[in-house]
Amino acid sequence: MSHTQQYSTPRRGSAVVLLVVPALVGGAIATALGVYGELHPPTGFAVGPGGFTGPLAMKAWLTTGAALLAIVQVLTAMAMWGKLPFEGAWVEPTHRWSGRIAFLLTVPVAFHCLYAVGARYDEPRVMIHSILGCLFYGIFATKMLALPKRGVPGWTLPVLGGLLFTLLVGLWLTSSFWFFTTIGVQF
């Protein structure tokens, strides 16, 4: 059975109800992160660089790793939905594990951003980055809560997955790309 055949077409009203709670939780998480980032006084230090030259290099490389794994996520998701000719028992586990590892790579980055720097709205790149980061975790929570529900519309996972990918690329562009092109490639 292909991945697209697992879900029946629900009635419109029931599909909306199935998505309301995950969307509300995701929205609450995104909002809470933004409020915390704004109200929490930045400490200037949160996570040790762990073999990197500094926290910015650590964040740039971990975000780059997450972005590369997000590409694996998109490719394996497309294969699972029959849009690419990849087949085999490796596709779904690769999708799951690349997503898990990508998410884990973002956690120390987000922790450092929120705890050490806070959400900043004083310059456009940093403001966009702060907003994208909050939205990323909100959409991630929404997707994870919608994932196990039977009866969600077939567009739900591709749309939420596409949003996550887009947000992560935006985060990479406003952080890692900026770092590598402004400061230089450092480890």
Side-chain angles (χ1 to χ4, degrees):
M1 177 184 300
S2 79
H3 190 70
T4 56
Q5 294 172 336
Q6 289 179 348
Y7 299 101
S8 61
T9 304
R11 291 186 325 259
R12 184 169 174 85
S14 65
V16 169
V17 170
L18 287 173
L19 294 175
V20 166
V21 171
L24 288 174
V25 170
I29 288 171
T31 302
L33 290 172
V35 168
Y36 176 82
E38 177 68 20
L39 297 179
H40 171 73
T43 64
F45 180 79
V47 179
F52 295 97
T53 56
L56 286 179
M58 175 199 69
K59 290 169 29 175
W61 284 107
L62 291 179
T63 304
T64 298
L68 290 172
L69 288 170
I71 293 169
V72 173
Q73 282 275 285
V74 169
L75 293 174
T76 54
M78 289 175 70
M80 288 175 5
W81 289 84
K83 303 296 181 191
L84 287 178
F86 304 146
E87 291 184 33
W90 63 272
V91 174
E92 287 187 30
T94 301
H95 182 77
R96 285 189 189 104
W97 280 101
S98 62
R100 289 171 181 155
I101 295 168
F103 178 79
L104 289 175
L105 289 175
T106 70
V107 171
V109 175
F111 180 74
H112 185 274
C113 288
L114 282 170
Y115 190 71
V117 182
R120 290 187 26 219
Y121 305 107
D122 54 342
E123 60 181 278
R125 178 191 64 82
V126 180
M127 177 185 70
I128 291 167
H129 182 76
S130 295
I131 293 168
L132 292 176
C134 295
L135 289 174
F136 175 81
Y137 284 98
I139 296 294
F140 179 81
T142 301
K143 182 181 179 211
M144 291 301 106
L145 291 172
L147 188 61
K149 294 186 183 282
R150 296 254 180 235
V152 296
W155 55 262
T156 304
L157 296 179
V159 166
L160 292 175
L163 280 171
L164 280 174
F165 178 77
T166 303
L167 290 168
L168 191 55
V169 168
L171 286 165
W172 184 84
L173 288 170
T174 58
S175 61
S176 300
F177 180 75
W178 171 86
F179 178 82
F180 294 139
T181 58
T182 304
I183 296 174
V185 176
Q186 300 176 11
F187 294 95

